[in-house]
Each structure stands twice: as structure tokens, then as C-alpha cells.
């Protein structure tokens, strides 16, 4: 295939993916109350609305609370699962790994209905705990994939050497395994937070009116009244996603950088 054709094809794909963003992002700076072109005048009024309107303020705070809780829970459980699946003598390891990855492929509507029924029985429906658990469920697979890849790159002989020198398994994990796997753990945590921040369907099923996240508020605003505030919120989302991607790239680059030589 000629290089020129490959270049044109890649350029067409990039344009196809980026065009919707290029179309909507400038509208975040419009002074109009409608999402229309041409923009009559550039203004930051809709970003000011995000920062001052009570409904947007509450949704942003809820997203940070739920995202932080879901990230911590998913990172701890996902890392523990990856360490357990690392044991080759574990019976049915393949089945267990598939079960941990199921939330990535099961439709969110199915998960939402099941969680709603379960959370009602557990008494955590329409609560912050319920939303955090729901978001952690869909975020755990990303942590498992990231940490499993990091653990696969660790030479087991390093851990065996630490054990042979008298270190306990807990010390080996804390001083050897975890530092070496930290880039994967951090990347998984970043992905978990981004997944929680973007989750809408599960939030619609398990959250109450007091747990309205930013993504859910955007969804509700689109249904009720299309406002340029949505474009401003989308701008914040995209900038946050770019920062997350840059953070992940920096973590991976730091993890791959050789350690300084010691004499």
C-alpha cells in the first residue's frame, strides 16, 4: 500500500474523530444562549455558570467525591486481584481473570438493573456508597489489566532473592513488588478515575438526586434544555482527559526509564 494512501487514510480517520470536538468546543465560549454558529461574541459566561450555579457546583463536587472513592476502591481490589491471578498454581485462574474483566463487556444497562436490585436489598441504593461501589465495579477491569501488565514485567528472581535474604512476604511486597509495579498501579488508578468521571448509565440506575454527577447533569441538561453550559462542561471533560493521558504517558515513561547506576 503506497505511503501516500496510508497517510491520507490516517488523516481521514483523525479528522473523523476530531471533527465533532472541533465543532462543539468553540461554542463553550459563545455569549449566546443557543448552540449556534456563527458565534456572536466570545465570552466565558458559561464557565462562570459552571463555577457559580448551585446545580453545576454540586455535580462537580459529587463527581470528585464519587470518582475519588471509586478510584481508591478499584485500585485496591484490582491490585489485589492482579497479585492473586499472578499465582500460576491458582486453580481456574483463566476463569477468574475472565470474571474480573466481565464488567468491560457486559452492557451497562444490564449492570445497572442488577445493581439497582442488589443495592435496594443491601440498603445502599441512592447513596454515595452505592454509586462508588457501582463505579468501582466497572473500573476494576482497567486496574486489573494495567497492574497485570506491570507485574508481568517484574523478574520473579528479584522477589525470590529478597525472600532468601530473610524478608517477609509483606516486606517483599512493600519494598520490592509494589515499587516496581507502581507505574501500572498509577495508570490503573488514573483510568479508574476517568471511567468514574465519564459513567452515566450506572449513575442513572443507582444514584439518587443528591448524587447527581457532572456526566449525569450534562445528560439531564441535554434532555431538558440544550445550553452552551454543556459545551463548557464538555470542554472541561476534554481538557481533563488530555491531562489524564499526559499523566499516563509520563508514568509509563518514568517506569521504563533505567535506574541510575550506583557504585
Amino acid at each position: 500500500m503506497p505511503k501516500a494512501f496510508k497517510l491520507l487514510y490516517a488523516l481521514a480517520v483523525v479528522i473523523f474523530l476530531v471533527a465533532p470536538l472541533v465543532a462543539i468546543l468553540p461554542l463553550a465560549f459563545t455569549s449566546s444562549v443557543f448552540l449556534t454558529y456563527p458565534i456572536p461574541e466570545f465570552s466565558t459566561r458559561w464557565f462562570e455558570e459552571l463555577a457559580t450555579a448551585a446545580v453545576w457546583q454540586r455535580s462537580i463536587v459529587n463527581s470528585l467525591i464519587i470518582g475519588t472513592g471509586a478510584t481508591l476502591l478499584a485500585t485496591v481490589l484490582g491490585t489485589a486481584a492482579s497479585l492473586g491471578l499472578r499465582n500460576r498454581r491458582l486453580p481456574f485462574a483463566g476463569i477468574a481473570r475472565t470474571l474480573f474483566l466481565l464488567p468491560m463487556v457486559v452492557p451497562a444497562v444490564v449492570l445497572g438493573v442488577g445493581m439497582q436490585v442488589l443495592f435496594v436489598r443491601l440498603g445502599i441504593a441512592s447513596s454515595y456508597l452505592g454509586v462508588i461501589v457501582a463505579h468501582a465495579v466497572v473500573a476494576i477491569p482497567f486496574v486489573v489489566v494495567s497492574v497485570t501488565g506491570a507485574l508481568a514485567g517484574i523478574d520473579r528472581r528479584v522477589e525470590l532473592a529478597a525472600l532468601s535474604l530473610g524478608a517477609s512476604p509483606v516486606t517483599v511486597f512493600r519494598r520490592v513488588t509494589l515499587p516496581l509495579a507502581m507505574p501500572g498501579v498509577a495508570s490503573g488508578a488514573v483510568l479508574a478515575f476517568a471511567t468514574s468521571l465519564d459513567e452515566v448509565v450506572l449513575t442513572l440506575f443507582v444514584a439518587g438526586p443528591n448524587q447527581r454527577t457532572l456526566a449525569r447533569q450534562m445528560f439531564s441538561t441535554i434532555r431538558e434544555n440544550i445550553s452552551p453550559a454543556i459545551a463548557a462542561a464538555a470542554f472541561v471533560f476534554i481538557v481533563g482527559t488530555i491531562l489524564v493521558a499526559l499523566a499516563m504517558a509520563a508514568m509509563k515513561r518514568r517506569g521504563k526509564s533505567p535506574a541510575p547506576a550506583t557504585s
Side-chain angles (χ1 to χ4, degrees), residues 2-246:
K3 292 184 178 180
F5 180 79
K6 293 181 179 179
L7 180 62
L8 290 175
Y9 179 76
L11 183 61
V13 172
V14 171
I15 292 175
F16 177 78
L17 295 175
V18 175
L21 304 182
V22 175
I24 191 64
L25 290 186
L27 293 175
F29 299 93
T30 184
S31 62
S32 173
V33 295
F34 302 105
L35 290 170
T36 58
Y37 281 107
I39 297 175
E41 186 178 353
F42 286 94
S43 172
T44 59
R45 59 175 293 190
W46 301 112
F47 291 96
E48 295 173 3
E49 180 174 343
L50 288 182
T52 58
V55 63
W56 288 105
Q57 284 183 342
R58 189 59 186 172
S59 65
I60 293 173
V61 172
N62 284 339
S63 291
L64 294 177
I65 293 174
I66 293 170
T68 302
T71 298
L72 292 175
L73 183 59
T75 302
V76 172
L77 296 180
T79 302
S82 299
L83 290 170
L85 295 173
R86 192 185 184 199
N87 187 357
R88 297 180 180 179
R89 295 178 295 178
L90 180 70
F92 308 108
I95 298 176
R97 186 177 292 107
T98 301
L99 290 176
F100 277 108
L101 299 181
L102 271 182
M104 296 180 68
V105 296
V106 174
V109 174
V110 177
L111 284 176
V113 173
M115 288 181 182
Q116 186 181 47
V117 174
L118 177 62
F119 290 174
V120 169
R121 292 179 177 271
L122 296 177
I124 59 174
S126 299
S127 66
Y128 282 101
L129 178 59
V131 183
I132 288 173
V133 171
H135 285 200
V137 168
V138 297
I140 284 175
F142 296 96
V143 179
V144 170
V145 171
S146 180
V147 177
T148 299
L151 292 175
I154 299 177
D155 191 345
R156 295 297 296 269
R157 291 175 295 182
V158 177
E159 298 168 303
L160 294 176
L163 289 171
S164 67
L165 292 174
S168 65
V170 175
T171 302
V172 172
F173 169 75
R174 184 170 55 87
R175 301 293 297 273
V176 179
T177 307
L178 187 58
L180 292 175
M182 186 53 67
V185 175
S187 298
V190 170
L191 286 173
F193 185 81
T195 301
S196 174
L197 194 66
D198 191 50
E199 183 56 51
V200 177
V201 178
L202 286 180
T203 309
L204 291 173
F205 279 97
V206 302
N210 293 328
Q211 295 83 43
R212 186 182 291 262
T213 61
L214 182 58
R216 182 182 175 185
Q217 176 61 31
M218 292 175 64
F219 180 79
S220 300
T221 304
I222 291 174
R223 294 185 59 187
E224 298 168 1
N225 180 28
I226 298 179
S227 166
I230 300 173
F235 185 89
V236 173
F237 259 120
I238 293 171
V239 171
T241 303
I242 293 174
L243 293 177
V244 166
L246 292 176

Side-chain angles (χ1 to χ4, degrees), residues 182-183 247-259:
M182 186 53 67
M248 289 181 58
M251 291 174 186
K252 291 182 178 180
R253 184 175 181 180
R254 183 178 179 182
K256 292 180 180 179
S257 60

